[in-house]
Amino acid sequence: MAITAEGHAPTIALDGARKVRGNLTQARIRWMILALVLGFGLVGARLVQLGLVETDSTIEGQARDLITATRPPILDRNGLEMAVDIRVPSLFAEPRRIIDVEEAVRKLRTVLPDLSETWLRNRLTGEQGFVWVQRELSPTIEDRVMRLGIPGIDFITESKRFYPGMSEASHILGSTNIDNQGIAGIERHMDGENVALLQDLGLARGNALTPVELSVDMRVQHVMHEQLLDAMTRYSAIAAAGVMVDVMTGEVIALASVPDFDPNVPASALVKDSFNRITAGIFEPGSIFKTVTMAGALDSGAVKISDQFDARFGIRFGRFTIDDFHGKHRILDLPEVYKYSSNIGTIRVMQAMGKDNFRAFLTRMGFDSRVPFELPEMRLPTVPKDLSEVGAATASFGHGLSVSPLHMVTAYAAFVNGGNYIAPTLYKRDLAEAQALYRPVIRPETSAEIRYLMRLNALEGSGSQMNKEAQGYRVGGKTGTAEKVVDGRYSSSKVTNFFGSAFPLDNPRYAMIIMVDEPKAENEQSGTTAGWNAGTVTGRIVQRVAPMLGIAPDFAEVLDENLVPSVIR
């Protein structure tokens, strides 16, 4: 209301102006309060929204624990490292945090020019919380990328498997994939055992995992690998392979197959013919299988070490006649049948045993099934379930059936260790553990007779080339030259050669199978049969590794004389 007083002018206009200013101020205050409330409300709502978003704990579908999990070190029997984990930086991006994708693409390609611009742009665009950009980089690259200062780009430290021996034990170790998971060899077997479980549980961290100790001796492994590579060159062969086991414990001391691969570069395993011939290859073993026939026949009691067999003429089966390669064509006693590798004599030995008993013995020796062994790369042998007369005849000298070299070395170990089958293993195993697993397959007396035959063949038979290389170590063994089947027919020019051996035969400790595939003559004075290549490779290996294994040379002839059975002395 306007106020007036006598003698004064009315103040109505002044009062109205103040009121207007007061109302305007109050309105402004209300608008400010409203703006503040709305501002805080929006911030609060965003905070609530962010709080409700579930944190992404995976990396492109995999748990972070699995990506960063470690694997246990793998050691040889002497504590030498065969496989270890190393820590490497891997580059990742959070696309939803990247402000300028084009700038990020341009900067990253200055350090990583091999990355496709289109691929990288697509990778960095979107609302994803995590994408890999490039894994397993060097610390130098990590430093250069970090200096770029790109928001939404960072590194995570991963475990990468490293094999310091490179390809030397590749078929034993296998390899891992980029996520450090075993994909072949003992690495894959370990995942099946417990490593994968520990990683799933988040227990595979740092150095928490106990090292895995293998039975392999890397000193012996190095020698075997080197000699096999030498054999491929020396004999112009397409492949070579070898395996050595402790005959008392079944521990594999060395196992190699060339061509091989570098487990640090898993893709190199895809190279043609680089498969593991010791476990994943099956072959007609040729005459090294005659040791099996002799062991079965002698153990059955159907033949004696002093028996004689008519090898004057070939044996006819219908239209076909089986003869000897270098036949003596006379009566042979059993040691001569073995020493001269007589097909005729071996068939006579098998026939004395009986083909059904012979077939049953093959089952007893495990030739019908997979060898119990850790490596997943394994093929089943092909041995006819029923043997005809001619089938049994050819099988007695190693034709018409196919087995792996691992089958053969396991059989040879049993033949010389007193007659006990023991499954081979890549893990350390002491004698007491092994003896609990023994399965008797032949009598100790038969084992002694087989040791004599093997040593006799080294001294006087097809193993003499081997024996020249390993004088003093009492090695014995049997050659096997198996013709390959080419276009449905056996080829005399393409052969797979084997030498099955054991040493020292006065106190057997190790058995070995060496294979040389399609060898050529080393020179004009040498041949292509097994004694010239697989045999001499065996001798060279023994000559170098025996001292490492604690076996001293001994040239005393009485050691060999003691191997001769009393009945034929």
Side-chain angles (χ1 to χ4, degrees):
M1 175 185 287
I3 300 174
T4 60
E6 190 177 350
H8 294 80
T11 60
I12 296 173
L14 179 61
D15 184 59
R18 287 176 180 169
K19 188 173 181 179
V20 168
R21 282 198 297 273
N23 289 341
L24 184 60
T25 300
Q26 288 178 2
R28 286 174 176 169
I29 291 171
R30 284 196 294 271
W31 280 110
M32 288 180 63
I33 292 172
L34 180 61
L36 288 172
V37 168
L38 288 174
F40 281 113
L42 289 173
V43 171
R46 180 59 176 164
L47 290 173
V48 170
Q49 182 188 24
L50 292 175
L52 293 176
V53 173
E54 188 175 347
T55 304
D56 185 6
S57 61
T58 63
I59 296 177
E60 298 205 35
Q62 286 189 284
R64 287 175 184 256
D65 281 348
L66 283 179
I67 292 294
T68 58
T70 59
R71 302 178 65 81
I74 299 177
L75 311 179
D76 85 336
R77 64 185 304 110
N78 302 309
L80 190 68
E81 289 181 336
M82 298 177 70
V84 294
D85 269 12
I86 58 175
R87 310 295 282 172
V88 294
S90 289
L91 178 63
F92 71 90
E94 297 174 88
R96 63 188 176 198
R97 289 188 55 228
I98 294 178
I99 298 170
D100 188 335
V101 172
E102 293 302 322
E103 180 187 39
V105 169
R106 180 170 44 80
K107 285 185 174 180
L108 281 175
R109 293 192 75 245
T110 62
V111 180
L112 301 166
D114 291 341
L115 294 180
S116 159
E117 183 176 337
T118 302
W119 177 87
L120 187 55
R121 183 180 295 110
N122 293 335
R123 200 71 174 155
L124 303 184
T125 303
E127 291 299 317
Q128 288 179 277
F130 189 108
V131 294
W132 288 117
V133 176
Q134 192 159 7
R135 301 173 72 175
E136 299 181 356
L137 296 168
S138 69
T140 302
I141 295 292
E142 179 185 25
D143 182 63
R144 291 178 60 189
V145 170
M146 293 305 289
R147 288 175 183 274
L148 298 175
I150 307 172
I153 295 291
D154 205 345
F155 284 86
I156 190 170
T157 301
E158 290 192 275
S159 294
K160 174 181 170 60
R161 209 55 161 166
F162 177 63
Y163 304 91
M166 310 299 277
S167 63
E168 275 193 355
S170 56
H171 287 300
I172 295 172
L173 295 167
S175 58
T176 59
N177 61 17
I178 198 168
D179 293 324
N180 219 18
Q181 297 166 332
I183 56 173
I186 198 69
E187 295 276 26
R188 183 176 172 185
H189 175 78
M190 285 163 49
D191 278 12
E193 290 268 286
N194 49 33
V195 171
L197 176 61
L198 293 174
Q199 290 176 336
D200 286 342
L201 295 175
L203 299 176
R205 291 284 187 187
N207 298 319
L209 297 179
T210 303
V212 174
E213 295 180 312
L214 297 188
S215 59
V216 176
D217 186 325
M218 279 304 290
R219 300 171 302 171
V220 180
Q221 180 73 20
H222 171 77
V223 172
M224 179 176 283
H225 183 258
E226 181 187 74
Q227 287 299 319
L228 294 175
L229 288 174
D230 177 71
M232 282 190 65
T233 304
R234 189 187 292 260
Y235 308 118
S236 302
I238 64 170
V243 56
M244 180 189 294
V245 301
D246 183 317
V247 301
M248 303 307 293
T249 64
E251 293 172 292
V252 172
I253 305 301
L255 186 158
S257 178
V258 291
D260 52 17
F261 63 96
D262 183 353
N264 293 302
V265 186
S268 62
L270 303 177
V271 174
K272 184 184 176 186
D273 290 335
S274 62
F275 67 98
N276 182 358
R277 285 169 168 75
I278 296 299
T279 61
I282 57 172
F283 310 89
E284 288 197 351
S287 292
I288 61 170
F289 210 74
K290 288 171 180 168
T291 310
V292 178
T293 304
M294 296 297 167
L298 287 168
D299 200 69
S300 71
V303 301
K304 298 183 180 61
I305 194 77
S306 56
D307 284 353
Q308 295 185 323
F309 300 88
D310 187 354
R312 291 176 295 172
F313 311 103
I315 302 176
R316 289 188 64 83
F317 294 94
R319 295 183 295 114
F320 303 99
T321 299
I322 297 177
D323 209 334
D324 285 339
F325 186 63
H326 292 299
K328 299 296 177 185
H329 296 113
R330 61 175 172 83
I331 302 294
L332 300 175
D333 58 37
L334 190 142
E336 287 179 319
V337 170
Y338 192 79
K339 182 174 70 175
Y340 297 132
S341 198
S342 168
N343 294 337
I344 301 170
T346 304
I347 294 171
R348 302 288 189 205
V349 170
M350 183 278 298
Q351 289 175 333
M353 179 184 184
K355 73 178 182 66
D356 292 336
N357 291 332
F358 172 64
R359 182 62 186 84
F361 184 68
L362 301 188
T363 299
R364 195 195 312 173
M365 292 305 304
F367 288 119
D368 287 327
S369 56
R370 182 185 191 277
V371 176
F373 194 53
E374 290 85 7
L375 295 186
E377 298 81 19
M378 183 77 69
R379 278 191 66 187
L380 288 170
T382 56
V383 180
K385 188 175 181 180
D386 298 305
L387 293 175
S388 62
E389 292 295 335
V390 66
T394 57
S396 71
F397 55 86
H399 287 258
L401 47 77
S402 296
V403 301
S404 72
L406 188 67
H407 281 88
M408 291 306 303
V409 79
T410 305
Y412 268 63
F415 292 154
V416 301
N417 73 1
N420 300 296
Y421 185 97
I422 176 71
T425 181
L426 280 170
Y427 292 126
K428 292 182 79 172
R429 178 196 282 161
D430 62 33
L431 183 58
E433 291 175 309
Q435 288 175 332
L437 301 172
Y438 277 2
R439 179 169 62 84
V441 288
I442 60 174
R443 294 174 291 115
E445 296 79 6
T446 306
S447 177
E449 291 171 338
I450 293 297
R451 291 200 295 270
Y452 159 67
L453 292 177
M454 290 174 66
R455 183 59 180 153
L456 174 70
N457 193 50
L459 293 171
E460 303 176 7
S462 59
S464 57
Q465 294 294 332
M466 176 280 300
N467 196 49
K468 290 178 184 175
E469 301 286 344
Q471 288 284 348
Y473 292 110
R474 288 92 67 204
V475 191
K478 185 73 187 76
T479 51
T481 302
E483 296 176 345
K484 286 189 165 184
V485 176
V486 179
D487 297 330
R489 301 174 63 88
Y490 281 109
S491 167
S492 58
S493 60
K494 291 188 176 182
V495 295
T496 307
N497 288 348
F498 298 90
F499 196 88
S501 63
F503 68 99
L505 281 178
D506 55 306
N507 182 24
R509 285 296 311 278
Y510 302 99
M512 180 162 53
I513 298 290
I514 293 294
M515 184 194 84
V516 182
D517 201 356
E518 294 190 21
K520 311 296 184 299
E522 183 179 7
N523 50 53
E524 293 182 355
Q525 289 72 44
S526 61
T528 57
T529 52
W532 290 101
N533 37 73
T536 53
V537 172
T538 299
R540 294 188 195 111
I541 291 174
V542 172
Q543 194 271 336
R544 289 182 58 186
V545 306
M548 300 175 187
L549 297 170
I551 300 171
D554 191 333
F555 297 89
E557 294 183 359
V558 68
L559 296 174
D560 289 332
E561 293 169 2
N562 290 339
L563 292 172
V564 182
S566 58
V567 68
I568 57 174
R569 283 183 186 172

